C-alpha cells in the first residue's frame, strides 16, 4: 500500500485542521508541484486547536491561532460526504464533486459523549447549557455561556477537562463576553485520579491541590449519571445520588478518531484509519493525524500529527519518496495558567514493580512541584514533571529521542528544579 510519490497532480486533503495545514505547508516547502486543496467542514481557516483554552481565557484572540498552509487552496465550509477511492473522486455536501490524484484523510477526531441521561433535548441536540469543547465555534459558544453562568460542572478530569475548568475560572475571560468575577467550577471524574492516564497518585494529588487554589472543586471516583429535567440544564446528578447545581455543563470525556468517511469507502478501519509505515491505507489514499491508526496506535496528539504530516509531505512532494513513519513517543502536556505538567512513557505505579526499572522521585508540596523519572539502565522510559517546565522540556526530548542520560540523572532534577 506504499503508493507512488507523484511529481505533480492534484492532492486533496479532507480536513483543514492542524495535520492538514502542516502537510500543505511542508509539501510546498519541500518543492511539491501538485495543487493541494484542503476541504474543511468548519468555516474557519486552519487554526491551532491546542490553544483554544487560551482563547477562552482571553489570552489570545481567534486570529492568533491561524496556521500557515503554504500555497494550498483552502475550501472552508465544504464538508466532504463521500470518497470513491477507485474513481478518485470526492463528493461534497453541496452536491458537487472533485477529482484528485492523491488523497490525504486528515479528518481529525470527534468528542466522546458520556452515557449520561438527559444530555439531549427532544430534537436530539444537546440541551441548552451543555457544551463540548473541540472547535473554535464551540469555544465561542462556551465563552458566551460562561459569561452569564452561575455555576459550571466539567465532566471529565483529563487534560482537556482540567484545561477547560481552569479557563472557566479566569475573570475577564471569553473575549468579547467577559465576566468580572470567578465562575465556580467543579470537575467530575469517574476514575480515582485526575489525569490518571498520565499521572500517578502523588502527582494527581498535587494537581488537585493546585486546582483547589484556583477555586476549582474536584470530585474523583464520581460518575455523572443524569442531567435532571428537560429544559435548560440545572444540575448534574451523580451515581451516588448527589446533585451538583449547574447551569453550564462542559463534556470533556475524550475524543475518538473520525472514521465514517473511510469506513463507508471500504478503507481499513479499526480504532482509526489503518495506515502502514508510508501512511497509506489504499493505493493513492493516506491518513494522518487524529484519524490515523499506525501499528495499532491512534495517538491523538498535535506533535504526532505533525510528525506524520512531515513524513507524508516528504513522500508526496518527491523530496524523499522513501520516507517512512516508525511511530512517535509524544509527551502528554498540560499548560493551564500556573498548572503545568509533562508526562511520558511508563508513569503508572504498577510498572514500578518491574525489577529492571529504577524510579527517582522528588516532591515539593509547598511549591506544587513533583518530578519522577522511570529508568531502565541509562534510558528514560517514563517520567512526570509537574510544575517544572524547564526540566520537562529537556527530559521529554531525551525520552522522545531515546537518548542515554548522564551517569547521575538525579542531578538533572535537582539542578533544573533549583534554577526556578
Amino acid at each position: 500500500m506504499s503508493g507512488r510519490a507523484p511529481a505533480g497532480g492534484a492532492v486533496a486533503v479532507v480536513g483543514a485542521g492542524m495535520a492538514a495545514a502542516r502537510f500543505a505547508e511542508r509539501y510546498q516547502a519541500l518543492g511539491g508541484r501538485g495543487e493541494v486543496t484542503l476541504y474543511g467542514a468548519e468555516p474557519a481557516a486552519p487554526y491551532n486547536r491546542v490553544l483554544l483554552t487560551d482563547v477562552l481565557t482571553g489570552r489570545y484572540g481567534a486570529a492568533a491561532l491561524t496556521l500557515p498552509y503554504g500555497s494550498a487552496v483552502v475550501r472552508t465550509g465544504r464538508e466532504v460526504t463521500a470518497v470513491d477511492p477507485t474513481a478518485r473522486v470526492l463528493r461534497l455536501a453541496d452536491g458537487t464533486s472533485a477529482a484528485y490524484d492523491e488523497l490525504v484523510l486528515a479528518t481529525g477526531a470527534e468528542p466522546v459523549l458520556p452515557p449520561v441521561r438527559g444530555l439531549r433535548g427532544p430534537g436530539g441536540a444537546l440541551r441548552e447549557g451543555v457544551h463540548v469543547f473541540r472547535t473554535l465555534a464551540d469555544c465561542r459558544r462556551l465563552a458566551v455561556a460562561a459569561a452569564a453562568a452561575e455555576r459550571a460542572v466539567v465532566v471529565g478530569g483529563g487534560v482537556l477537562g482540567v484545561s477547560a475548568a481552569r479557563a472557566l475560572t479566569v475573570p475577564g475571560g471569553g473575549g468579547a463576553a467577559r465576566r468580572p468575577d470567578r465562575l465556580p467550577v467543579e470537575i467530575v471524574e469517574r476514575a480515582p485520579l485526575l489525569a490518571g492516564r498520565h499521572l500517578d497518585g502523588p502527582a494527581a494529588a498535587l494537581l488537585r491541590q493546585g486546582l483547589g487554589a484556583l477555586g476549582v472543586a474536584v470530585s474523583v471516583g464520581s460518575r455523572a449519571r443524569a442531567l435532571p429535567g428537560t429544559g435548560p440544564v440545572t444540575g448534574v446528578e451523580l451515581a451516588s445520588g448527589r446533585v451538583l447545581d449547574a447551569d453550564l455543563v462542559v463534556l470533556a470525556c475524550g475524543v475518538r478518531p473520525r472514521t465514517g468517511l473511510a469506513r463507508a469507502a471500504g478503507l481499513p478501519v479499526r480504532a482509526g484509519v489503518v495506515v502502514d509505515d508510508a501512511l497509506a491505507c489504499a493505493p493513492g489514499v493516506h491518513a494522518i493525524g487524529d484519524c490515523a491508526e499506525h501499528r495499532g496506535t491512534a495517538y491523538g496528539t498535535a506533535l504526532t500529527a505533525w510528525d506524520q504530516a512531515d513524513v507524508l509531505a516528504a513522500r508526496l512532494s518527491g523530496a524523499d519518496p522513501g520516507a517512512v513513519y516508525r511511530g512517535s513517543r509524544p509527551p502528554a502536556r498540560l499548560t493551564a495558567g500556573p498548572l503545568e505538567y509533562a508526562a511520558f512513557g511508563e508513569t503508572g505505579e504498577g510498572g514500578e514493580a518491574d525489577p529492571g526499572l529504577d524510579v527517582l522521585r522528588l516532591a515539593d508540596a509547598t511549591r506544587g512541584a513533583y518530578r519522577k523519572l522511570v529508568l531502565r539502565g541509562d534510558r528514560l522510559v517514563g517520567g512526570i514533571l509537574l510544575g517544572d517546565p524547564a526540566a520537562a522540556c529537556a527530559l521529554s526530548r531525551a525520552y522522545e529521542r531515546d537518548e542515554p542520560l548522564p551517569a547521575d540523572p538525579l542531578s538533572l532534577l535537582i539542578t533544573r528544579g533549583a534554577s526556578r
Side-chain angles (χ1 to χ4, degrees):
M1 289 195 302
S2 59
R4 56 193 172 90
V11 181
V13 184
V14 182
M18 297 178 70
R22 176 74 171 216
F23 167 79
E25 188 273 330
R26 295 306 302 153
Y27 178 87
Q28 181 193 18
L30 292 170
R33 298 195 301 274
E35 181 179 77
V36 178
T37 304
L38 276 55
Y39 296 87
E42 293 185 51
Y47 60 88
N48 190 336
R49 198 181 307 276
V50 173
L51 298 179
L52 282 176
T53 51
D54 289 314
V55 174
L56 189 57
T57 64
R59 181 181 180 187
Y60 296 132
L65 274 59
T66 303
L67 292 170
Y69 48 85
S71 60
V73 175
V74 178
R75 303 181 69 182
T76 58
R78 302 298 294 274
E79 181 183 1
V80 174
T81 57
V83 172
D84 186 337
T86 302
R88 300 201 177 198
V89 171
L90 303 178
R91 310 291 179 189
L92 280 68
D94 62 5
T96 62
S97 61
Y100 64 84
D101 295 299
E102 296 286 329
L103 177 65
V104 180
L105 297 175
T107 50
E110 57 194 359
V112 173
L113 299 184
V116 174
R117 295 196 309 273
L119 281 183
R120 299 184 183 276
L126 292 177
R127 283 170 57 188
E128 182 180 342
V130 181
H131 295 259
V132 293
F133 189 28
R134 179 68 182 172
T135 69
L136 191 54
D138 294 336
C139 184
R140 288 171 173 147
R141 286 190 290 266
L142 185 54
V144 171
E150 295 184 2
R151 185 171 182 82
V153 168
V154 176
V155 180
V159 171
L160 179 61
V162 171
S163 298
R166 157 61 184 161
L168 288 171
T169 67
V170 176
R178 295 182 178 272
R179 58 181 300 128
D181 58 343
R182 192 183 293 273
L183 175 65
V185 180
E186 183 159 354
I187 294 174
V188 174
E189 168 56 47
R190 65 183 302 166
L193 300 177
L194 273 179
R197 290 181 57 194
H198 308 137
L199 303 184
D200 62 7
L206 279 176
L207 178 60
R208 183 173 181 175
Q209 176 182 306
L211 284 166
L214 298 173
V216 178
V218 177
S219 294
V220 293
S222 298
R223 180 174 62 85
R225 180 169 63 189
L227 304 184
T230 56
V233 68
T234 59
V236 177
E237 180 185 336
L238 305 182
S240 64
R242 178 183 169 212
V243 176
L244 305 177
D245 291 336
D247 54 354
L248 175 62
V249 175
V250 180
L251 306 176
C253 301
V255 297
R256 64 169 60 93
R258 187 175 279 115
T259 59
L261 275 178
R263 192 182 299 276
L267 298 171
V269 172
R270 290 196 291 261
V273 182
V274 179
V275 297
D276 59 18
D277 289 356
L279 297 166
C281 56
V285 186
H286 317 267
I288 57 175
D290 289 358
C291 71
E293 177 183 334
H294 175 260
R295 298 189 184 184
T297 301
Y299 291 97
T301 72
L303 291 177
T304 299
W306 286 342
D307 286 346
Q308 293 173 351
D310 290 353
V311 169
L312 188 59
R315 290 186 64 86
L316 297 190
S317 68
D320 184 0
V324 294
Y325 177 71
R326 303 293 190 191
S328 300
R329 307 180 81 191
R333 292 188 179 276
L334 168 73
T335 303
L339 304 175
E340 294 185 77
Y341 74 69
F344 39 86
E346 181 61 57
T347 59
E349 295 172 348
E352 296 179 19
D354 185 335
L357 298 181
D358 295 310
V359 179
L360 305 178
R361 203 187 319 249
L362 289 175
D364 184 348
T366 60
R367 294 172 53 241
Y370 178 81
R371 311 171 197 98
K372 172 183 176 180
L373 301 184
V374 183
L375 310 171
R376 178 173 279 110
D378 65 351
R379 304 292 166 144
L380 185 60
V381 298
I384 300 172
L385 288 305
L386 177 66
D388 198 342
C393 288
L395 291 167
S396 61
R397 279 197 301 268
Y399 170 76
E400 290 174 57
R401 298 170 183 172
D402 197 24
E403 297 173 345
L405 294 180
D408 181 15
L410 184 60
S411 64
L412 289 175
L413 296 184
I414 295 173
T415 301
R416 297 278 181 180
S419 68
R420 292 191 67 218

